[in-house]
Structures are given as C-alpha cells and as structure tokens.
Amino acid sequence: MNKEDIERLRGALPRCEVRELEHNGQFLFLEDGVDLVTIIKRAYYYRRGKSLDYISDYIPPTPFEFKEYEESQRLLTAVTSPVFLSTLNNGAVVRSLAGIPSEGPVLYVGNHMLLGMELHAIALHFLKERNILLRGLAHPLMFTKKIGSKLPDMQLYDLFRIIGAVPVSGMNFYKLLRSKAHVALYPGGVREALHRKGEEYKLFWPEHSEFVRIASKFGAKIIPYGAVGEDDLCEMVLDYNDQMKIPFLKNLIEEITQDSVNLRNDESGELGKQDLHVPGIVPKIPGRFYVYFGKPIETEGREKELNNKEKAHEVYLEVRSEVERCMTYLKMKRETILTETFCRGRSIISLMVSLPKSQPLISEIIKFSY
C-alpha cells in the first residue's frame, strides 16, 4: 500500500493509528518479532469498558515485550552504565534499590534530565531488580495526535506506553494511587526536560502543587529522588533561545506547540511556557547516569493534617529540598569517584613502568578498579 492510500484511509478512519513495520514483508503475522496483541496494547485499543481507562485497561508487559524493551535500551544502558542508590529505613545509603518499598502506593518525585533521558533506565531497573512496574505520568502528546499535525508519530512513544506511561491528569493520578501503584511524577514537566544551556539540574517546579494532599488521601509514601549525568553524556549546542532566532525553526516550534496541550495554563512567566522543541546536542561519550532515591516521607495517618493547604505546602517544599539534596549528593559523589579513578589510573601506569613483567597482575588490578 502506497502513502497516498494510507493517508486516504487515515482520513476516512479518524480514530485510527498507523503503524509502520519497515523491516517486514507482506506476511506480517507469520514473521518473528511481530505480535498483533502487542501492537493493540501499544495503541491503547484494548478496552475493558465502553471508554478508554489508562489505568484499568493497562496490561503489564509480557516476557516477550519486556525482552524487546530491554533490547531497545541495551545501547543506552551500555553507554550510561546507570548507578542506582537508595536509602534504607536506618538512613544508610546502599547501591541498589533495597530501600524501595515493595508495597504501594508509592509516589516518586524527581527531576527531569534533558529529554527525560533518565526515564527508561529507571523503569527498566525497577522491573529487573525489584519486579516493580513504575507508572510514569507523561505528557499527553505521547497518547494523542491531531491529523495533519507535525508532532511526532505515536509509534515513537510505543515503548513508554508499553512500560506503563499514563497521560498526566488529576484523575489518572488519583486512580493510580487508589490502585496502590508505584507512580513517577515530574513537577518540572516539559520546561525541565527541555531546559536551556546552563540549566542542567535546575528545578522548574510550580509554586504550589496538589500532589501532597492527594497522596495523603491514600497514605502513599513520597520518595524524593535526584538524577545526574547528562552533563557527562552530552553538551547542548542549540537550545530553545537559539532556535527561536532561526525563522523556520521558530515557526515549527510555534506550530507544534499549538497542536499540543499546555499543562500549565494557570502558571505565569517561564513556568507556564512549555514550548515544544528538540534541543541540538553533541554526545560526550563516555558518560554515566546516577540516580539516588532518598528516604520515604510518610503520609499515612496524616490525611487530616495534610488536607490543610499550608501543611501540605510545607511537605511540598520538603520534597523539593530533598530532590535538590539528592542531586547535590550525587554530584559530590561523582567528583569523588572520578578523582579516585584518576588516581587509580596513575597508580596503574606507575606500576606498569616499575614492574615490566607484571602484566597478569596489572590486569587483575584494572579489573578490581572498575
């Protein structure tokens, strides 16, 4: 079928989604790697009722789907070598997810790195180490698109959707916590994920937020966390401010932003401005991601207390402060690790010079150092 026929059918069936399978032949469903059920799940065409419900209609990934997802992230995982730290009940910091509660509801509140690069690594590690499905609250552009819009095709976001992403809304947030899910929330939103030059690890959170009061209704644990590493992995060369000076890029940004949904109409200034664009970046490989989950903040039994806006705002500021503390901790630890690695490297070189016949020993030292 040619592109003209595809567009004609898309226009005749306005609720349809097009899926391109470029590396397959005419007998799609007889080929390995093509699963019609998976395609239906990704497009959210499975229904338990008359209307779509992103929480109750969601089906967790099958072993085949998880393997496919893991394979898709293999290169990024190899390049970034993510390190995960969590906090035990006694305050000890461990290099694992041992400090993450097994039972929900749990709300994870953190910072966005550039383009949300941390999302896949966190979701993958939660499934592999703890068998926990992390439901991320994501921008609606990953789930709907107007016909004729220049926004990316829905197929680009299939991996987010199959791994449990949900369009961000108050109702979806409420339903997730009611179902005792593990939920990831990013108050910084698009403005934080598409930040400008020199804004790495800067939070763009709204002045007020309702997530604390909603979390307290279900006694959810709130776990602040920080993620760093984008400055080791890439350098931004063309940010939003640069692109707005180029006429055709400025027009494109304005067009796709108009086709999307602005989630912060009630905010003024730069926090309310969430123009969509793709930053121009240059890779700086190798790099490494570090994610640190702080100690849980309990809300169980505090519903009456946190129903008060002022009390809830105090906890909100506490969460924000903890996220910033986690990022600061990681940046300090990262510098320590880099210094120690550099010193080990110099020691190994000195050893190679002084012990010309010590190649087996040097190999063991290198293996231990890394």
Side-chain angles (χ1 to χ4, degrees):
M1 183 178 291
N2 57 41
K3 290 186 178 180
E4 289 77 14
D5 289 335
I6 292 173
E7 290 304 317
R8 179 175 54 81
L9 287 172
R10 191 205 297 260
L13 302 168
R15 296 181 62 186
C16 78
E17 280 193 29
V18 175
R19 284 290 185 275
E20 295 185 17
L21 298 148
E22 297 178 352
H23 304 294
N24 300 92
Q26 294 181 342
F27 302 100
L28 286 176
F29 304 123
L30 297 179
E31 299 182 25
D32 291 337
V34 179
D35 189 330
L36 179 59
V37 174
T38 299
I39 294 173
I40 291 172
K41 285 169 62 178
R42 286 173 171 174
Y44 273 107
Y45 276 88
Y46 176 79
R47 302 282 192 280
R48 296 182 190 272
K50 291 183 179 180
S51 59
L52 172 62
D53 186 317
Y54 286 100
I55 286 77
S56 62
D57 290 342
Y58 176 73
I59 302 174
T62 63
F64 167 79
E65 291 165 347
F66 176 73
K67 183 178 180 182
E68 186 181 42
Y69 177 71
E70 187 178 15
E71 285 293 325
S72 72
Q73 302 304 305
R74 189 174 296 278
L75 177 60
L76 181 62
T77 301
V79 169
T80 60
S81 302
V83 174
F84 293 89
L85 308 174
S86 64
T87 310
L88 302 179
N89 290 332
N90 61 6
V93 179
V94 293
R95 186 170 172 171
S96 70
L97 296 180
I100 299 299
S102 299
E103 300 296 327
V106 183
L107 176 61
Y108 305 87
V109 184
N111 67 296
H112 258 322
M113 288 200 290
L114 186 65
L115 299 173
M117 290 188 290
E118 75 288 342
L119 288 170
H120 285 303
I122 294 174
L124 180 61
H125 205 71
F126 264 64
L127 272 170
K128 288 187 69 175
E129 183 178 331
R130 296 296 306 277
N131 195 29
I132 291 175
L133 186 66
L134 190 62
R135 307 297 304 275
L137 289 161
H139 197 284
L141 69 85
M142 297 183 182
F143 303 87
T144 57
K145 177 187 175 183
K146 297 177 184 177
I147 294 177
S149 170
K150 292 185 179 179
L151 285 169
D153 289 332
M154 293 295 95
Q155 191 168 346
L156 178 67
Y157 305 112
D158 278 354
L159 290 175
F160 288 99
R161 291 150 69 150
I162 202 71
I163 210 66
V166 177
V168 61
S169 74
M171 181 56 70
N172 286 339
F173 182 44
Y174 184 93
K175 288 179 178 180
L176 284 170
L177 292 181
R178 185 177 62 184
S179 66
K180 297 185 177 182
H182 290 249
V183 185
L185 174 67
Y186 294 91
V190 170
R191 180 61 182 86
E192 204 167 273
L194 301 179
H195 55 251
R196 323 307 189 220
K197 293 175 182 175
E199 293 180 346
E200 298 89 352
Y201 316 128
K202 181 180 178 181
L203 300 184
F204 290 91
W205 289 20
E207 186 177 348
H208 299 282
S209 178
E210 289 293 305
F211 73 76
V212 173
R213 293 210 292 173
I214 297 175
S216 69
K217 291 183 183 296
F218 301 98
K221 293 179 175 66
I222 301 175
I223 299 184
Y225 73 92
V228 304
E230 70 166 86
D231 53 337
D232 280 342
L233 189 68
C234 62
E235 180 178 356
M236 191 182 303
V237 295
L238 197 68
D239 69 0
Y240 171 81
N241 297 327
D242 296 326
Q243 294 183 33
M244 290 299 282
K245 297 174 184 177
I246 304 173
F248 82 92
L249 287 179
K250 180 176 183 290
N251 293 335
L252 178 61
I253 290 171
E254 291 174 348
E255 186 175 343
I256 62 175
T257 300
Q258 188 175 3
D259 288 341
S260 185
V261 179
N262 190 351
L263 299 174
R264 289 185 174 173
N265 292 317
D266 57 338
E267 295 286 341
S268 60
E270 66 174 355
L271 288 182
K273 192 174 180 61
Q274 294 191 327
D275 287 355
L276 301 178
H277 67 288
V278 179
I281 58 176
V282 174
K284 296 195 305 185
I285 298 172
R288 195 163 204 178
F289 286 169
Y290 299 85
V291 184
Y292 170 34
F293 295 90
K295 193 171 182 178
I297 297 172
E298 298 285 348
T299 67
E300 189 172 7
R302 302 175 65 188
E303 181 181 355
K304 188 174 180 180
E305 173 196 352
L306 296 179
N307 194 44
N308 179 286
K309 284 190 175 183
E310 291 184 1
K311 292 291 185 181
H313 187 61
E314 289 177 7
V315 175
Y316 175 66
L317 294 178
E318 180 186 355
V319 173
R320 177 182 175 125
S321 177
E322 279 296 298
V323 171
E324 291 175 330
R325 186 190 67 81
C326 288
M327 288 190 289
T328 301
Y329 176 90
L330 288 174
K331 286 187 282 186
M332 291 175 60
K333 281 292 183 181
R334 180 178 61 175
E335 292 302 318
T336 301
I337 292 170
L338 288 174
T339 302
E340 290 175 351
T341 302
F342 176 73
C343 292
R344 285 200 301 266
R346 292 188 62 180
S347 299
I348 291 170
I349 291 172
S350 300
L351 189 60
M352 290 175 67
V353 173
S354 60
L355 299 175
K357 295 183 180 181
S358 61
Q359 189 63 39
L361 176 60
I362 293 170
S363 299
E364 289 302 313
I365 292 173
I366 293 174
K367 189 187 301 181
F368 175 78
S369 298
Y370 293 92

